[in-house]
Amino acid sequence: MTPYDLVVRSRRTVTPEGERPAAVAVRGGKIAALHDYAAPLPAAEEVDLRDLALLPGLVDTHVHVNEPGRTHWEGFASATRAAAAGGVTTIVDMPLNSLPPTVSREALDAKLRAAEGQCHVDVGFWGGAVPGNAKELAALHERGVYGFKCFLSPSGVAEFPPLGPAELRAALEEIAGFGGMMIVHAEDPELLAEPEGPGYREFLASRPGAAERSAVTQVVRLAEETGCRVHVLHVSSAECLEVLEAARARGVPVSAETCPHYLTLAAEQVPEGETAYKCCPPIRSLANRDLLWDGLARGVLSCVVSDHSPSTADLKVPDFAAAWGGIASLQLGLTAVWTEAARRGHGLGDVVRWMSANPAALAGITGKGGIKTGNDADLVAFDPAADTFVDAARLHHKNPVTPYHGRTLKGAVLTTWLRGRPVDGRPHGRLLMKGDG
């Protein structure tokens, strides 16, 4: 037998068929075979994790890298280092908050130039749908973006304005024409308001769950009428679940995701003045959190992705009314979700499905999302029993601001392999284009 480049053994290998003892054999950056755990195999390198878990690399389809233009908020080098440290081997970059936003082929080319040679994990790209760029969408699709993001309410940055109802319909019709997908920040601007005070209670009241439900209802109706594939981003309100479940039962091409902060944090636990917790849509109640977990378990919500949206510390002040609305958590998503999932009786296979297999399938990223023959050898050695204390200053995120600071989370990422090579500080990530083999 020709020697393998690498063999990784674990008694807890999480495969699409379930968790089992296995030896994962790697050749040429791909998973060449899965063997019995104790099978003798010739290999240039061998790692035996014994009772530690072996997971596929996570796929995070909701990351704001912010480069070029706002690289002081985050950048490709820092974001992808953080991703690898958190067991994420593929990210898909959002079209904002970079300058220029990714709303034309020329802007995408600028982003590709900025990313080249910096990435520690593989990186794909979303395009943006904004007023006036409908004629750019087909060219972006042909260039290889994984789909298009739009807002129905203000995005927080002037250069990425929201689509009105007529503009949304026109964009969906255009995207349906070439078989693409729209991903939507769904909050109804008519039901949003300015906070009536500086605290979290007032901020939460200004962005009610009804605003999400109203927007999701609109998106579902238009998806049904246009036939466009639509994905609802960062669902924070359980009020949306009934609408989404009914749409799925009717065969409407709509799916939805949620995020670690909505599954692990709660409004009742937000400390006074701790604006690191601010995000849009907001973190809601403990009771709402329980309902999101139920929706995830039932498959109404299919993916858990970070919505990593960092900023510099000076933009997170002075209060909840004025602070930037974004959570920094790219490095912490796996441990945060595992902490709560394990407490609720879910297994590592569930977490892998929500955070690796389903996001890869959503975007159509081939060769990712599972430990199976032929896939890229994107692997993560994970200790599910370890405790990880979060010190924001020690994270790879460019700015040390996160609501998880000071928390102890369950689980620890020990090693991350990208196509069979450890992520060790020398960038070897690739820039991914939809349709590439």
Side-chain angles (χ1 to χ4, degrees):
M1 181 186 295
T2 304
Y4 295 114
D5 302 325
L6 171 70
V7 170
V8 184
R9 303 177 190 271
S10 167
R11 296 189 181 98
R12 299 189 63 185
T13 302
V14 180
T15 74
E17 294 74 37
E19 188 177 312
R20 67 180 178 90
V24 179
V26 177
R27 184 182 290 125
K30 302 282 188 181
I31 298 173
L34 270 68
H35 295 275
D36 291 340
Y37 170 74
L41 300 169
E45 181 183 359
E46 181 170 320
V47 177
D48 191 346
L49 300 178
R50 303 186 186 276
D51 292 321
L52 300 176
L54 182 63
L55 315 180
L58 304 190
V59 177
D60 192 336
T61 52
H62 197 147
V63 179
H64 295 266
V65 174
N66 304 336
E67 186 176 1
R70 291 191 174 97
T71 313
H72 53 300
W73 293 17
E74 194 70 280
F76 285 104
S78 55
T80 56
R81 275 196 302 267
V88 178
T89 52
T90 303
I91 65 171
V92 187
D93 171 61
M94 284 292 168
L96 72 162
N97 302 300
S98 55
L99 292 169
T102 316
V103 296
S104 68
R105 186 160 178 158
E106 293 74 20
L108 175 61
D109 288 341
K111 181 160 284 196
L112 294 172
R113 289 192 297 271
E116 188 66 41
Q118 291 203 73
C119 299
H120 298 266
V121 302
D122 289 352
V123 180
F125 303 89
W126 298 110
V130 296
N133 85 322
K135 295 187 176 180
E136 300 282 353
L137 302 181
L140 280 165
H141 174 75
E142 290 168 5
R143 185 70 174 88
V145 299
Y146 283 91
F148 302 90
K149 180 177 187 177
C150 72
F151 279 74
L152 305 189
S153 56
S155 70
V157 291
E159 68 275 2
F160 202 96
L163 297 179
E167 293 164 327
L168 176 61
R169 178 184 287 276
L172 292 177
E173 289 173 345
E174 175 74 10
I175 293 166
F178 53 73
M181 177 172 62
M182 180 77 92
I183 62 175
V184 184
H185 180 122
E187 290 180 284
D188 186 340
E190 298 298 320
L191 298 178
L192 303 180
E194 290 298 318
E196 295 182 355
Y200 191 75
R201 184 189 299 262
E202 293 91 347
F203 169 66
L204 180 59
S206 75
R207 303 186 88 100
E212 278 191 82
R213 182 185 173 103
S214 174
V216 169
T217 300
Q218 177 190 7
V219 167
V220 165
R221 176 176 58 79
L222 288 174
E224 200 162 16
E225 292 174 2
T226 64
C228 186
R229 172 84 174 84
V230 173
H231 179 72
V232 179
L233 299 167
H234 48 47
V235 171
S236 81
S237 173
E239 293 184 39
C240 300
L241 298 177
E242 181 184 8
V243 178
L244 291 165
E245 190 163 30
R248 189 174 67 161
R250 297 198 307 275
V252 181
V254 175
S255 58
E257 69 188 35
T258 192
C259 304
H261 39 281
Y262 302 131
L263 297 171
T264 62
L265 307 175
E268 294 91 334
Q269 300 167 342
V270 175
E272 186 67 29
E274 286 290 335
T275 55
Y277 286 76
K278 181 179 177 180
C279 57
C280 301
I283 296 162
R284 304 190 188 276
S285 69
L286 285 163
N288 180 84
R289 185 176 77 180
D290 289 341
L291 292 172
L292 291 180
W293 274 101
D294 180 64
L296 189 60
R298 292 187 291 113
V300 183
L301 303 171
S302 60
C303 303
V304 180
V305 290
S306 68
D307 189 11
H308 178 68
S309 185
S311 71
T312 52
D314 62 294
L315 294 180
K316 296 296 278 188
V317 295
D319 56 37
F320 282 101
W324 172 258
I327 299 283
S329 65
L330 180 55
Q331 188 171 334
L332 302 170
L334 174 57
T335 50
V337 172
W338 173 241
T339 300
E340 190 67 17
R343 187 179 75 81
R344 293 172 180 266
H346 295 288
L348 287 172
D350 296 320
V351 173
V352 163
R353 184 171 68 256
W354 301 327
M355 301 186 78
S356 185
N358 288 355
L362 166 75
I365 303 173
T366 57
K368 308 288 189 181
I371 297 178
K372 61 182 181 180
T373 302
N375 270 7
D376 289 347
D378 299 347
L379 305 169
V380 176
F382 184 67
D383 183 349
D387 289 331
T388 294
F389 177 78
V390 180
D391 178 355
R394 300 184 68 183
L395 298 175
H396 291 286
H397 306 156
K398 185 165 283 189
N399 291 284
V401 180
T402 179
Y404 295 99
H405 176 68
R407 290 174 176 258
T408 297
L409 303 177
K410 186 62 67 176
V413 173
L414 305 178
T415 305
T416 300
W417 292 269
L418 179 66
R419 288 185 302 279
R421 288 177 55 188
V423 180
D424 59 3
R426 294 169 292 178
H428 64 279
R430 295 176 180 170
L431 305 184
L432 304 178
M433 295 288 124
K434 189 173 178 67
D436 288 352

